[in-house]
Amino acid sequence: GRTGGTGPPSGRHQRCTPWVLGRRVAAAVAWSVLLLPVCTGAFVVLSGLDPFHPVRWISNSFNDLYTSYVIFCILLMSVVTLIISIFNVEFYAVVPSIPCSRLALIGKIIHPQQVIHSVVHAVMGMLVAWCTAVMTKGKFQFLAVSCTPSESLDDTVPQMCLNEYHLFFLLSGAFMGYSYSLSYLINNMNYLPFPVIQQYKYLRFRRSLPLLIKHSCVESLYFVRNFCVTYYFFGYIPKVWISTTMNLHIDSKLHPLDSLTGLLDLSLFYHTWLCGVFLLITWYIAWLLFKIYATETHHFPVQPTFAEETDQCLPKILNSNPPLIIKFLALQDLMLLSQYSPVRRQEVFSLSQPGGHPHNWTAISRECLSLLSDLTQRLIAQQEAAAANGRPVCLHAVYSLSSGAVVREDMAFQSPRSNIVPRASMSSLVKPSLTPLKTLSGSDVGSPFSSPALNCKMGILDVNSPWHGSVQSPQVMRRGPKLWTILPSPISLHNKSLSPPPPNLFYTVRRW
């Protein structure tokens, strides 16, 4: 589920979460469902591709859009989109969970919660594949078809045979659903980065849509390739099991699809790839809309207008223990308030009546100083642990309320040349130093699905990197037995309140 947090939220803030997040989730789901008929229409047009007869192709496509089975498939896929959105809401995190090793990543993959996530997505992928097979029609529409076995040619007795093309579609949908779930975990797609530069939701979605479509097309190719290899070695197992269970014959006049001759069918490859593109686009749109709506700015009142609004005020939320999504939204609102809202700043520094005490400023400043102090202590603890054993320690909480949790706006589908990939998107199963540049040349540089090693190979510098824009200290360039010491000296004890912490600490920790 959600990661991060220091304890269970109180009851009043459990009521605050639906107040802030509930309407955003509902709006994201509604737009995902409303965009589903558009995606379905595009799929129906492309599935009946006939460039040699364009008039008949277009007319047949528009006639199919109003048929009962297409409408039923849209309704069924709306339910699938709703379930996928529910899992996006249940698994979101505002603190990235970065596995420290490959063994830790494997442990996350086989975790019961992740297993449930993968199984549900595999089932949803099979439902989407069934809908695409029905809408494609032709040889992909039904699982059982009438046939005449070769031993009954003289009697011409029709029997029911297994349609392996339909079975291939269903299994490919389940495989793509599971692959999506695995990619969702490895690439930290549940992480919600808060944008620094605020834009309208429509502009953010429009900017990300072309890269979303491009990424879905490329990723579907890899999924189809992997599934074809898997079906070539293990495809006979489900085929024999289903034919035996449903008492269906196998048409020996057709080439089996678990052979090279069967898999070289271009029509089968094209429609399977198109099915994967349709599945990924609809699911990525639901994921993208949830990220856009969930990280949208929210204005918390500085002072309550009514007595029942006290728990929803900015100072109260900052000094309490709400869900992390609420606290991050409050900190984001405080950042925007300090820069662009003189009227609300006056409310922060206003004095209470009677008494003349700056309660709002005291509460806000106390929480901000507490967060900075907590971050400093965590960095010192990590520095000392790293200096003790010579290896960095994986402390996820360092990112909780630091600058690492607020990245550039909407890094999901930035342009390949301008985006810097967050550290959280790197897979522990891939060694950057051993990844050849040739295999990475087709990836989307700057998407959350690529590795930071790709950006290094492509010559993209991270503005947050310690190697960008400054000359580094020898303490950073070489690792000594002790990077810095906290043992007091007479001079440091005398000037303890005036000596700032060594700057190399922060650069070294960020480098790790």
Side-chain angles (χ1 to χ4, degrees):
R2 307 179 186 92
T3 59
T6 57
S10 58
R12 59 178 180 272
H13 292 109
Q14 287 178 345
R15 296 191 299 270
C16 181
T17 304
W19 164 61
V20 176
L21 196 60
R23 288 179 295 179
R24 302 178 178 214
V25 172
V29 173
W31 277 110
S32 302
V33 174
L34 289 176
L35 291 174
L36 189 58
V38 179
C39 300
T40 305
F43 173 82
V44 171
V45 172
L46 293 176
S47 63
L49 183 64
D50 189 6
F52 298 104
H53 305 87
V55 177
R56 185 175 63 183
W57 166 36
I58 298 299
S59 61
N60 291 339
S61 299
F62 278 98
N63 291 333
D64 291 339
L65 290 177
Y66 300 101
T67 55
S68 58
Y69 58 86
V70 172
I71 296 176
F72 174 77
C73 289
I74 291 177
L75 295 177
L76 181 59
M77 287 186 293
S78 299
V79 177
V80 172
T81 303
L82 177 61
I83 296 176
I84 296 298
S85 300
I86 291 175
F87 272 83
N88 289 336
V89 175
E90 289 297 324
F91 280 79
Y92 80 87
V94 293
V95 179
S97 177
I98 307 172
C100 304
S101 62
R102 300 179 183 180
L103 185 61
L105 181 59
I106 295 175
K108 290 181 62 177
I109 293 175
I110 62 177
H111 191 274
Q113 202 171 36
Q114 178 61 29
V115 171
I116 295 175
H117 186 277
S118 301
V119 171
V120 171
H121 278 73
V123 175
M124 296 299 106
M126 185 176 294
L127 288 178
V128 174
W130 179 83
C131 292
T132 56
V134 171
M135 292 186 295
T136 303
K137 300 187 300 183
K139 59 184 179 181
F140 305 99
Q141 190 168 10
F142 301 106
L143 180 62
V145 294
S146 60
C147 64
T148 303
S150 58
E151 63 272 10
S152 303
L153 287 178
D154 297 335
D155 301 331
T156 65
V157 178
Q159 295 182 358
M160 299 303 295
C161 293
L162 175 67
N163 185 6
E164 194 174 358
Y165 290 98
H166 188 92
L167 176 64
F168 189 88
F169 250 60
L170 297 182
L171 296 178
S172 66
F175 182 86
M176 291 178 184
Y178 176 79
S179 301
Y180 172 88
S181 175
L182 195 62
S183 174
Y184 187 90
L185 170 70
I186 293 176
N187 296 311
N188 276 308
M189 290 171 57
N190 63 330
Y191 170 55
L192 297 179
F194 283 76
V196 177
I197 302 175
Q198 303 300 318
Q199 284 186 330
Y200 292 110
K201 297 186 291 293
Y202 169 73
L203 296 178
R204 295 177 61 184
F205 179 77
R206 187 184 66 180
R207 182 186 61 184
S208 303
L209 187 60
L211 291 176
L212 183 150
I213 296 175
K214 174 188 173 183
H215 176 79
S216 300
C217 294
V218 174
E219 191 173 30
S220 180
L221 283 176
Y222 289 109
F223 285 172
V224 173
R225 179 201 64 183
N226 297 339
F227 176 71
C228 288
V229 174
T230 305
Y231 192 84
Y232 176 78
F233 289 102
F234 306 103
Y236 68 93
I237 298 176
K239 181 174 64 175
V240 173
W241 178 70
I242 291 180
S243 62
T244 304
T245 303
M246 301 182 64
N247 195 20
L248 297 174
H249 298 275
I250 296 179
D251 195 348
S252 58
K253 294 183 296 183
L254 301 177
H255 292 288
L257 297 184
D258 54 344
S259 62
L260 291 178
T261 307
L263 292 176
L264 290 178
D265 188 348
L266 293 181
S267 175
L268 175 66
F269 181 84
Y270 169 74
H271 286 95
T272 308
W273 169 79
L274 191 62
C275 170
V277 172
F278 177 74
L279 180 147
L280 292 175
I281 286 179
T282 53
W283 290 7
Y284 279 145
I285 285 178
W287 167 74
L288 177 63
L289 287 173
F290 170 69
K291 292 183 67 174
I292 291 176
Y293 272 92
T295 58
E296 184 186 11
T297 58
H298 180 81
H299 293 288
F300 295 88
V302 179
Q303 293 179 341
T305 306
F306 303 99
E308 57 270 14
E309 295 180 356
T310 304
D311 294 333
Q312 301 175 1
C313 291
L314 184 61
K316 191 73 173 180
I317 291 179
L318 289 178
N319 283 272
S320 57
N321 189 27
L324 277 183
I325 181 70
I326 304 298
K327 195 154 191 174
F328 272 60
L329 288 173
L331 291 171
Q332 184 186 46
D333 184 40
L334 179 62
M335 178 194 69
L336 298 175
L337 177 151
S338 62
Q339 295 178 353
Y340 307 111
S341 182
V343 177
R344 299 182 67 201
R345 284 203 300 269
Q346 292 179 358
E347 298 180 6
V348 173
F349 295 104
S350 62
L351 303 179
S352 62
Q353 297 296 334
H357 300 288
H359 292 302
N360 295 332
W361 167 246
T362 302
I364 293 176
S365 61
R366 181 174 61 246
E367 177 61 19
C368 292
L369 292 175
S370 175
L371 292 176
L372 291 175
S373 176
D374 181 67
L375 173 62
T376 304
Q377 294 300 323
R378 292 178 187 275
L379 290 174
I380 292 175
Q382 186 182 26
Q383 172 72 15
E384 291 300 318
N389 57 17
R391 298 183 63 185
V393 180
C394 186
L395 296 177
H396 303 319
V398 171
Y399 296 91
S400 60
L401 292 172
S402 65
S403 60
V406 182
V407 298
R408 293 176 55 188
E409 178 201 0
D410 196 16
M411 300 177 71
F413 295 101
Q414 290 279 2
S415 61
R417 297 181 183 273
S418 63
N419 185 29
I420 307 300
V421 176
R423 187 76 175 178
S425 65
M426 181 175 179
S427 170
S428 297
L429 290 177
V430 181
K431 267 191 179 178
S433 59
L434 300 181
T435 305
L437 180 61
K438 182 178 179 181
T439 61
L440 296 174
S441 60
S443 303
D444 289 340
V445 184
S447 72
F449 314 97
S450 60
S451 171
L454 173 60
N455 291 332
C456 297
K457 293 177 182 293
M458 298 298 291
I460 299 177
L461 295 179
D462 189 349
V463 294
N464 295 325
S465 172
W467 311 108
H468 177 75
S470 62
V471 179
Q472 297 305 308
S473 168
Q475 294 182 3
V476 179
M477 299 177 64
R478 58 182 176 86
R479 178 181 296 174
K482 195 76 170 178
L483 298 182
W484 68 285
T485 178
I486 58 173
L487 294 177
S489 62
I491 300 178
S492 63
L493 287 175
H494 180 70
N495 300 323
K496 184 177 181 181
S497 59
L498 300 178
S499 59
N504 292 331
L505 162 68
F506 300 97
Y507 287 117
T508 305
V509 174
R510 293 182 66 86
R511 176 61 181 169
W512 288 338

